[in-house]
């Protein structure tokens, strides 16, 4: 099946995707245009199929207004900003801005750049490493259900999206617990 070759090619591309690591971020504060350029140059494989930029000036300003980013110092962005934007750019696909804010509100900027981002990249790597097995099981299940060709690919996309949706729903429920605990303080 030709589609399987393309899917395997996509999987390999995902497996080769390198996340920005804290040590990759310049040790100098960045102005907005430098920030956008750095993220654009280092997130090529993280962009969507429509090849829109990973992050734009407007997005950065909107995330700052929403309280997702720590305050900017003299119009310069620090390492924590870069890592936050890298996470936001990926997680906004499955979590609401309000949920992302809950996450960022519970973690200090120092803890974020060292620990939370490490959890994010480690978990992502764990799932990427399991992609072959997950996809194989998904395609097998779709095949057993009688799907073929494009219908099988569509059914596989639904199955994979369902897993992502369920996990996002669980994440939202966990963040609700954070809200409840904060209200009772």
């Amino acid at each position: 099946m030709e589609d399987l070759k393309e899917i395997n090619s996509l999987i390999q591309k995902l497996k080769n995707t390198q996340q920005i690591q804290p040590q990759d971020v310049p040790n100098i504060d960045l102005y907005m245009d430098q920030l956008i350029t750095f993220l654009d140059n280092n997130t090529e494989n993280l962009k969507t199929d429509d090849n829109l930029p990973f992050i734009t000036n407007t997005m950065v300003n909107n995330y700052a207004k929403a309280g997702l980013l720590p305050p900017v110092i003299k119009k310069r962005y620090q390492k924590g900003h870069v890592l936050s934007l890298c996470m936001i750019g990926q997680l906004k696909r499955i979590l609401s801005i309000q949920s992302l804010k809950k996450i960022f509100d519970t973690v200090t900027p120092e803890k974020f750049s060292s620990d939370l981002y490490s959890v994010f990249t480690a978990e992502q790597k764990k799932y990427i490493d399991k992609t072959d097995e997950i996809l194989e099981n998904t395609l097998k299940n779709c095949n057993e259900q009688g799907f073929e060709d494009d219908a099988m690919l569509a059914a596989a996309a639904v199955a994979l999206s369902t897993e992502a949706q369920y996990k996002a729903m669980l994440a939202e429920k966990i963040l609700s617990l954070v809200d409840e605990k904060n209200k009772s303080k």
Side-chain angles (χ1 to χ4, degrees), residues 2-3 9 78 129-130 145 185:
E2 184 65 30
D3 292 329
S9 174
Q78 300 167 327
D129 290 345
K130 293 181 180 179
Q145 298 297 320
K185 287 183 180 178

Side-chain angles (χ1 to χ4, degrees), residues 3 7 15 18 22 31 36 39 45 49 53-54 61 66 83 85 93 118 120 142 145 154-155 166 176 185:
D3 292 329
I7 290 171
K15 284 184 173 187
Q18 296 294 313
Y31 288 105
I36 299 301
L39 286 169
N45 287 339
D49 287 338
F54 181 74
N61 290 329
L83 300 177
L85 288 165
R93 297 173 186 166
S118 294
F120 171 72
C142 292
Q145 298 297 320
Y166 172 77
S176 292
K185 287 183 180 178

